Amino acid sequence: MNDIDLEIQAQAMSEEELLARIAWFYYHDNLTQNDIGERLNIPRLKVSRLLEKGRQMGIIKVEIHSAFTGCFELEEALQHHFQLKHIRVLPALESHDVNERLGNGAAQLLASLLKPQQLLAIGFGETIMQTIKFSNEFITNNNIKLITLSGGVGPYMKGIGQLDGSCSVSMIPAPLRASSVEAAKLFKRESCVKDIMLAATGADVAIVGIGATLQKGQATLLRTGYISEQKQQEIRQQGAVGDILGYFMQKDGTLLPNMPLHDELISLPLSDLTKIPNVIGVAGGEDKVEAILSALQGKYINSLVTEERTARLMLAQLV
């Protein structure tokens, strides 16, 4: 077969088929990227790009495939039960920061979903800031535009502060919580706030953390001063198991009623959040199980990134 025939054959392949051939040559036949490029008559840079894309999408899993076996089963069970669009369950790993690992996994999922110049809406929280950190290069190279889903600058800076200066970031110019219901209404009437919140509903993908009322001092809502530990305990006693964007949810997924706190919140309503095609929840840990299930029951998220032990505990509660 001559070079022209090879080129036609490579062009005729779907990207996934080409990726699979490249992965096999690279990992099983030990060919170099240059060798593969010559064999398929494509640039070496394309070989490298497709190998990286395969790793990000989860198509290529090198030597750790066996570690994921149980996770595949968990993914399938949760995806079927909640009709999820996308799910990633990371294998359990002792003595590693769970938020960092979840952020890494979420970054890989984002890389498989977002196309150049699309809009990514982001919530606050440690896992989301870790996700932004691991997505830095992808966001920059693909001109991904970011928009925040709530007020409050501080909770976002750990992630956004690490982005390249050329990145487009739109932030809601308001605090996360106003001093009163009346003050919150004034903020929401401001065109600079209203326009950004409206633009957020047009995002291609949203990614949010899921808080839990079982969490102690490490919870973002506590660290930012949105609520006190005493108030958190009161909210839990009223029936709240977790929150998304500061809105507290009950076990069945409905929002906790009669909550003046919600009216002081400057955050995209969850009814508007669900208008975004892909809403990814990122959370893990035993104290988050009830909260994640609540978010899924309420259908506030349609995709999930979590870890193995959390997924097993979730399924145990569903039996």
Side-chain angles (χ1 to χ4, degrees):
M1 187 177 292
N2 58 38
D3 287 348
I4 294 175
D5 291 336
L6 282 170
E7 185 174 3
I8 292 171
Q9 183 185 57
Q11 290 174 347
M13 293 179 197
S14 69
E15 186 175 72
E16 187 171 350
E17 181 184 357
L18 186 59
L19 194 160
R21 287 175 183 270
I22 289 170
W24 189 270
F25 288 149
Y26 189 72
Y27 291 106
H28 291 278
D29 296 326
N30 295 315
L31 297 184
T32 67
Q33 292 183 15
N34 278 329
D35 290 339
I36 296 168
E38 290 175 4
R39 179 178 289 252
L40 295 175
N41 202 34
I42 57 176
R44 187 196 68 78
L45 284 175
K46 184 170 184 177
V47 174
S48 178
R49 180 181 66 81
L50 286 173
L51 284 170
E52 178 58 27
K53 185 173 184 177
R55 286 190 287 267
Q56 290 178 343
M57 293 176 66
I59 293 173
I60 297 172
K61 297 178 178 65
V62 186
E63 296 181 349
I64 57 173
H65 186 274
S66 61
F68 275 91
T69 301
C71 297
F72 285 149
E73 294 170 356
L74 294 170
E75 287 175 353
E76 185 177 352
L78 287 171
Q79 187 164 30
H80 177 74
H81 187 90
F82 292 106
Q83 298 299 297
L84 295 174
K85 285 188 174 183
H86 308 281
I87 183 167
R88 295 288 186 275
V89 175
L90 310 183
L93 187 62
E94 298 292 342
S95 303
H96 280 74
D97 184 274
V98 67
N99 290 330
E100 185 174 3
R101 295 188 70 236
L102 289 170
N104 198 342
Q108 293 180 37
L109 179 56
L110 283 182
S112 71
L113 295 179
L114 284 166
K115 296 179 174 58
Q117 299 183 359
Q118 285 193 324
L119 180 62
L120 171 64
I122 58 173
F124 52 79
E126 180 63 25
T127 54
I128 305 306
M129 295 308 100
Q130 290 288 347
T131 302
I132 299 304
K133 181 185 81 171
F134 285 110
S135 301
N136 190 338
E137 186 175 348
F138 172 80
I139 288 170
T140 303
N141 292 342
N142 289 276
N143 297 314
I144 302 298
K145 292 169 284 190
L146 271 64
I147 191 165
T148 62
L149 288 165
S150 75
V153 175
Y156 288 99
M157 289 314 298
K158 185 174 181 180
I160 289 175
Q162 299 181 62
L163 293 174
D164 186 272
S166 64
C167 291
S168 171
V169 182
S170 298
M171 301 187 71
I172 296 174
L176 174 60
R177 180 187 176 188
S179 58
S180 66
V181 174
E182 292 72 23
K185 287 178 179 178
L186 287 173
F187 273 117
K188 291 174 184 178
R189 281 202 292 265
E190 291 290 335
S191 59
C192 56
V193 173
K194 187 167 55 176
D195 291 348
I196 291 178
M197 292 180 78
L198 179 62
T201 64
D204 299 284
V205 178
I207 186 161
V208 295
I210 302 170
T213 53
L214 280 174
Q215 284 179 281
K216 300 300 182 184
Q218 76 272 24
T220 301
L221 293 184
L222 293 176
R223 288 190 283 107
T224 58
Y226 174 64
I227 57 171
S228 64
E229 287 199 28
Q230 181 180 351
K231 184 64 176 177
Q232 182 192 47
Q233 291 173 7
E234 291 175 9
I235 292 171
R236 179 159 183 84
Q237 288 169 0
Q238 291 172 35
V241 296
D243 80 280
I244 293 178
L245 300 177
Y247 294 102
F248 287 94
M249 309 168 293
Q250 300 178 103
K251 196 168 184 178
D252 63 359
T254 57
L255 292 183
L256 192 66
N258 304 317
M259 277 285 289
L261 201 61
H262 289 170
D263 296 322
E264 297 170 356
L265 186 63
I266 301 170
S267 194
L268 194 74
L270 298 190
S271 58
D272 286 341
L273 178 68
T274 58
K275 295 175 183 177
I276 299 171
N278 285 296
V279 183
I280 306 166
V282 187
E286 186 174 350
D287 57 357
K288 294 283 187 85
V289 171
E290 282 185 326
I292 298 170
L293 287 171
S294 174
L296 291 167
Q297 298 282 11
K299 300 189 182 299
Y300 305 119
I301 61 175
N302 55 29
S303 297
L304 177 66
V305 177
T306 190
E307 59 84 46
E308 186 176 358
R309 282 187 291 264
T310 308
R312 291 191 187 282
L313 290 168
M314 288 169 63
L315 286 169
Q317 289 202 16
L318 294 174
V319 175

